[in-house]
């Protein structure tokens, strides 16, 4: 699988229903041995293989079709878990209504195995940042 924006998120973005800058947007670590990307998935409750809790993105920007945010840190995740992907989602406080936005499994440092130390996610500093549409 390659990086993808979930189709329902594309629809919500195009309809103006999903505001990446003003909504609470989070990222989670995902073990693809448990979760497989599916274009029909639309909400957080479709995910499995999630390690820990989501980390909120800060300093979010949208400019010229590019979404970016400050780098994030996952603090002391469980050791020994294989992480092959990141999933970005809008957190509504309810897993049945928290929209999946992007699936990222291709990037520097992916995959990796957790060792109990903090995990820093450094977004692309090039033209794509987190993702571009």
């Amino acid at each position: 699988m390659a990086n993808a924006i979930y189709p329902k998120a594309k629809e919500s973005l195009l309809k103006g229903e999903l505001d990446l800058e003003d909504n609470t947007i989070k990222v989670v670590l995902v073990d693809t041995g448990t979760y497989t990307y599916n274009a029909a998935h639309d909400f957080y409750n479709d995910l499995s293989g999630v390690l820990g809790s989501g980390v909120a993105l800060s300093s979010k920007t949208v400019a010229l079709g590019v979404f970016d945010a400050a780098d994030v840190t996952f603090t002391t995740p469980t050791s020994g878990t294989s992480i092959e992907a990141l999933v970005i989602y809008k957190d509504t406080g309810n897993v049945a209504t928290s929209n999946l936005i992007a699936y990222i499994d291709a990037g520097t440092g992916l995959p990796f195995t957790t060792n109990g130390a903090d995990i820093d996610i450094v977004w692309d500093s090039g033209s794509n940042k987190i993702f571009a549409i």
Side-chain angles (χ1 to χ4, degrees), residues 7-101:
K8 261 323 231 190
K10 290 180 188 179
E11 180 181 323
S12 294
L13 286 165
L14 290 169
K15 288 182 174 181
E17 300 168 346
L18 179 58
D19 186 332
L20 296 172
E21 291 179 305
D22 292 330
N23 292 142
T24 300
I25 308 298
K26 292 186 176 181
V27 59
V28 290
L29 304 171
V30 176
D31 175 0
T32 61
T34 304
Y35 175 74
T36 301
Y37 171 85
N38 184 321
H41 291 169
D42 50 2
F43 297 110
Y44 189 93
N45 62 352
D46 290 321
L47 294 178
S48 58
V50 173
L51 177 64
S53 300
V55 174
L57 300 182
S58 63
S59 303
K60 300 174 302 233
T61 61
V62 175
L64 302 174
V66 177
F67 176 57
D68 196 17
D71 298 340
V72 297
T73 299
F74 288 86
T75 306
T76 59
T78 304
S79 184
T81 302
S82 177
I83 300 299
E84 296 85 12
L86 308 171
V87 172
I88 297 171
Y89 66 100
K90 172 186 169 185
D91 185 10
T92 65
N94 179 340
V95 296
T97 62
S98 291
N99 308 77
L100 299 179
I101 299 170

